[in-house]
Amino acid sequence: MGHREDLLEGAKRCLLEKGYARTTARDIVAASGANLASIGYHYGSKDALMRQAIIASSEEWGASVAQVPAVGGGAEAGDADPLERFAAVWDAVLQRIATEREFIAAQVEVLGLLPRDTALREAIGEVLPEGGEGLVAVFEGVPDTEVDPEAARVVGSFYQALLTGLMVQSLLTPDAMPSGRDLATALRRVTAGEVLGAK
């Protein structure tokens, strides 16, 4: 790897170990083996490098979540019952959330910075639609190239809202997290208009 890649890898490590706001340029240099001047040369600033690190980390995490196995007795993923697939995919995502707490903490930290950091908000806003598209593809069991743009916008936003909420909840009450089946049951009850407490 060259210095540019080394810096990005170092920044991603710092993101997990120290968090977004607490990482200094010297931390990144120590983690990457590059020199201080190379941050400015390759990225313009430490903040620009950290923005790239949070986006790259999120994309890598999303790509690994996309490797969810087919659901249901050897059937193709797209042929599975929608609620069964919904539950199984959420179980896989929830497992990742439970075992990658440093990544989740960094994501949640960044959410709190967005109102006051225009450059960070714009950088994340640029890749957010792609993230929604990827989530729709995972939950529908289809390639992202087959996702309808309107579905990516509307349904992708729904999945992103759930994912963000579950990330926050995992830091607040890790022992009270719902299962994928719980989420599927909730979705079925909401869409069926069932009265709270009804069996």
Side-chain angles (χ1 to χ4, degrees):
M1 288 193 299
H3 278 193
R4 182 177 177 83
E5 295 79 13
D6 290 340
L7 286 165
L8 183 58
E9 290 303 313
K12 289 191 296 185
R13 279 196 300 279
C14 290
L15 187 63
L16 299 181
E17 294 168 7
K18 300 181 77 66
Y20 186 92
R22 292 184 59 215
T23 295
T24 67
R26 293 190 185 283
D27 292 330
I28 297 169
V29 166
S32 66
N35 58 60
L36 202 55
S38 63
I39 294 176
Y41 178 78
H42 290 291
Y43 290 94
S45 69
K46 186 270 291 187
D47 290 340
L49 171 53
M50 289 303 293
R51 287 192 294 272
Q52 188 60 44
I54 193 71
I55 290 168
S57 296
S58 299
E59 289 173 345
E60 290 166 10
W61 196 81
S64 64
V65 166
Q67 304 306 311
V68 175
V71 178
E76 289 298 319
D79 295 335
D81 173 77
L83 277 180
E84 179 184 336
R85 178 159 181 83
F86 182 89
V89 173
W90 277 118
D91 277 336
V93 172
L94 287 162
Q95 178 63 30
R96 296 292 303 278
I97 288 173
T99 58
E100 299 180 29
R101 293 183 59 78
E102 295 86 1
F103 171 79
I104 301 306
Q107 293 290 308
V108 172
E109 176 194 358
V110 166
L111 293 176
L113 299 173
L114 295 178
R116 295 177 188 85
D117 190 331
T118 303
L120 180 60
R121 186 171 62 248
E122 289 175 353
I124 292 175
E126 286 179 13
V127 298
L128 201 59
E130 185 180 325
E133 182 180 277
L135 285 169
V136 172
V138 170
F139 279 92
E140 296 300 318
V142 299
D144 55 9
T145 54
E146 295 181 18
V147 177
D148 173 71
E150 184 63 6
R153 184 184 72 80
V154 176
V155 182
S157 292
F158 168 72
Y159 289 134
Q160 285 173 326
L162 270 176
L163 179 59
T164 302
L166 288 165
M167 286 181 169
V168 173
Q169 187 177 349
S170 75
L171 297 178
L172 294 171
T173 55
D175 296 329
M177 293 292 286
S179 66
R181 181 64 53 208
D182 292 336
L183 294 171
T185 298
L187 182 60
R188 180 186 57 75
R189 292 182 65 167
V190 167
T191 57
E194 294 179 1
V195 177
L196 262 165
K199 301 291 183 189

